[in-house]
Amino acid sequence: MLLRKLPYLLSGLALLLGAAAKAQNPLITTQFTADPSARVFNGRVYVYPSHDILATPGRGRVGWFCMADYHVFSSANLTDWTDHGVIVTQNQVPWVKPDSYSMWAPDCIARNGKYYFYFPSTPRDTTDGKGFRVGVAVADQPTGPFVPQPLPIRGVHGIDPNVFIDRDGQAYLYWSQGHLYAAKLQPNMLELASAPVTLGELPTKGLKEGPYMFERKGIYYLTYPHVANKTERLEYATSPSPLGPFTVRGVIMDESPTGCWTNHHSITQFRNQWYLFYHHNDLSPQFDKSRSIRLDSLFFEPDGAIRKVVPTLRGVGLTAARQKIQVDRYSRLSSRGATIAFLDPANPFLGWQTLLADSQGWVQYNGVAFGKQALKAVTLRVRTAAGATVQLRTDGATGPVLAQVAVPKGSEWQEIKAPLASFQPGTHALVVAAKTSAPVAVDWVRFE
């Protein structure tokens, strides 16, 4: 089964020839990404994820996580993402065991004009292939080039490094290895300044990993994935101090409804809004070791409690009406007559389509920025065997009709252009609905 995934993995590599990606959830659809560490540097969001690839005989452990390098992605608006390419790769790190394919969840932090990238991997001095260390690579820019330090951080054994710099300037390193651990960092950000402490006030039953610390209004939030049942959910604890003691507060995100075993996250504030970055196996629904990063808004209650985040496909941000609007990343979908499917199950990197079975089918996509200047036409990429009519309107069932598009019958995808009957300036929800009983598939919509 795994070998059958190779064609769409190769297709994903081909798509990397284009550096720009426009995405909702998942954010990146040109490769597998997981464990996103999101940081705001100089008014731009940078995401440092791990990079899942397919393990094959002689390359990693077949059927398990396999990661050889790291990319960094950035965005100014949380909608348009740029892949800045590989920043660290396993066989160019002096202390990492060659071809160990264990470049797991990383983090990055800025200090004194430098960018410090923390990552775990299997060291050369491990003879049985077990055990992880944490190293650092340093750069002058958030996109690199990053230069790995020759040795890992002394005294740190584990995975999932996370760095937090408190208001007083003291930096802390958090990581996991059975339990969650923390220690102060030296000002050089390369060495521990205190002995590691176990953060022991957390649940004792079930795996805990992936710590991520942040502070808000004097409350220190220690967030982490925890297997309370069968798969990981995101939980959090709070403290008046970066090192605890902590009080368990609750769940940030429930377990995956489709059984993806892992979740791993980061939480950051951007332009006065808090966001949760996390992952799921959207592009690999049958194999949960190939994940894809996601993004949704996060909110706090008046007492500082984190409101539980419900995952969405639409994600966040505005989509310009002149872009290809992937309505399959919907905000709402009719309970009858509408489903979502891969364009090509053999190559999920090509994306999804919306299938409208009959006149009961519709899909709504929120947050389309139509702008002020009047748009005059719309193009749909559609397919229908029998011929169909598709209606576009704004703001729900009673909103103004933008266009009614007649789609000729045919077995192949068609790009059909039609004039707009009306124009609504500003930002609106877009509704795409079938108006005839014949099935019709919609790939994307674009206005001009």
Side-chain angles (χ1 to χ4, degrees):
M1 180 184 73
L2 292 177
L3 291 177
R4 290 201 297 269
K5 297 179 181 289
L6 191 56
Y8 71 76
L9 286 167
L10 294 176
S11 174
L13 290 174
L15 287 170
L16 282 175
L17 294 175
K22 293 180 172 63
Q24 292 81 51
N25 279 335
L27 297 183
I28 308 301
T29 55
T30 53
Q31 61 183 264
F32 292 123
T33 50
D35 313 317
S37 174
R39 298 292 186 181
V40 179
F41 299 137
N42 303 316
R44 191 173 179 90
V45 178
Y46 293 82
V47 178
Y48 300 84
S50 53
H51 180 198
D52 289 335
I53 60 175
L54 178 66
T56 55
R59 185 176 79 164
R61 174 182 163 189
V62 174
W64 194 242
F65 303 104
C66 184
M67 309 172 191
D69 58 34
Y70 298 101
H71 288 237
V72 58
F73 301 84
S74 75
S75 176
N77 59 10
L78 302 177
T79 298
D80 305 309
W81 292 90
T82 299
D83 180 359
H84 298 280
V86 174
I87 56 171
V88 174
T89 188
Q90 61 179 3
N91 291 348
Q92 294 181 4
V93 180
W95 61 268
V96 169
K97 182 179 180 181
D99 297 326
S100 52
Y101 296 97
S102 55
M103 308 293 274
W104 289 14
D107 193 12
C108 189
I109 201 81
R111 184 159 213 180
N112 297 329
K114 298 287 186 180
Y115 296 85
Y116 297 87
F117 181 75
Y118 297 80
F119 60 95
S121 194
T122 304
R124 289 177 179 268
D125 58 7
T126 297
T127 58
D128 59 3
K130 298 180 181 179
F132 278 73
R133 302 293 300 275
V134 171
V136 191
V138 186
D140 294 324
Q141 301 293 334
T143 56
F146 283 88
V147 178
Q149 297 296 296
L151 296 172
I153 302 174
R154 181 177 298 178
V156 178
H157 297 264
I159 60 174
D160 301 341
N162 163 243
V163 177
F164 168 73
I165 300 177
D166 203 0
R167 293 178 183 270
D168 63 1
Q170 178 62 59
Y172 297 82
L173 177 67
Y174 300 82
W175 68 95
S176 61
Q177 185 66 40
H179 298 283
L180 302 186
Y181 299 89
K184 292 182 179 180
L185 281 171
Q186 296 278 10
N188 65 12
M189 305 296 285
L190 305 176
E191 303 169 276
L192 296 188
S194 67
V197 296
T198 304
L199 307 180
E201 303 84 23
L202 308 177
T204 57
K205 181 181 178 181
L207 175 69
K208 300 181 298 296
E209 56 180 358
Y212 190 88
M213 167 66 71
F214 69 96
E215 181 269 339
R216 176 183 179 270
K217 295 185 177 180
I219 300 174
Y220 295 86
Y221 292 79
L222 177 65
T223 64
Y224 51 91
H226 175 219
V227 181
N229 187 14
K230 293 182 179 180
T231 60
E232 290 184 341
R233 67 186 189 186
L234 302 181
E235 300 179 1
Y236 76 108
T238 60
S239 174
S241 164
L243 297 178
F246 290 93
T247 300
V248 174
R249 296 292 300 275
V251 176
I252 301 172
M253 179 175 283
D254 287 327
E255 296 178 346
S256 161
T258 60
C260 183
W261 180 64
T262 65
N263 200 351
H264 190 113
H265 69 294
S266 59
I267 294 173
T268 194
Q269 187 179 30
F270 180 60
R271 296 178 182 169
N272 298 316
Q273 173 62 52
W274 288 87
Y275 295 100
L276 174 70
F277 290 77
Y278 61 105
H279 72 227
H280 199 254
N281 60 326
D282 297 273
L283 291 169
S284 180
Q286 305 304 317
F287 183 60
D288 65 357
K289 307 304 183 291
S290 296
R291 289 78 51 88
S292 298
I293 63 174
R294 286 179 164 198
L295 167 62
D296 276 296
S297 298
L298 181 141
F299 300 92
F300 295 85
E301 303 294 354
D303 65 354
I306 296 176
R307 190 182 306 169
K308 187 181 291 186
V309 177
V310 177
T312 74
L313 293 175
R314 175 60 184 90
V316 304
L318 296 178
T319 300
R322 295 178 183 271
Q323 295 179 355
K324 292 178 180 178
I325 304 167
Q326 306 289 345
V327 293
D328 47 74
R329 307 294 85 192
Y330 61 86
S331 304
R332 296 177 61 204
L333 191 72
S334 59
S335 58
R336 290 183 55 194
T339 56
I340 305 298
F342 284 118
L343 288 166
D344 180 358
N347 186 355
F349 285 114
L350 293 178
W352 295 266
Q353 59 184 313
T354 304
L355 304 175
L356 304 177
D358 52 37
S359 59
Q360 300 294 314
W362 56 266
V363 61
Q364 177 173 314
Y365 183 101
N366 292 349
V368 177
F370 285 88
K372 297 180 180 179
Q373 184 176 357
L375 301 170
K376 298 181 179 180
V378 63
T379 299
L380 288 75
R381 187 172 190 256
V382 287
R383 181 170 62 183
T384 175
T389 299
V390 176
Q391 185 184 86
L392 288 81
R393 58 182 183 265
T394 57
D395 301 326
T398 61
V401 174
L402 300 178
Q404 194 124 312
V405 183
V407 183
K409 65 180 180 181
S411 59
E412 302 298 327
W413 287 100
Q414 307 175 67
E415 293 187 15
I416 306 298
K417 186 175 181 179
L420 292 186
S422 65
F423 171 72
Q424 298 292 313
T427 298
H428 302 277
L430 174 67
V431 176
V432 179
K435 300 306 291 182
T436 48
S437 59
V440 59
V442 181
D443 184 6
W444 49 258
V445 175
R446 182 181 63 209
F447 294 86
E448 59 185 75

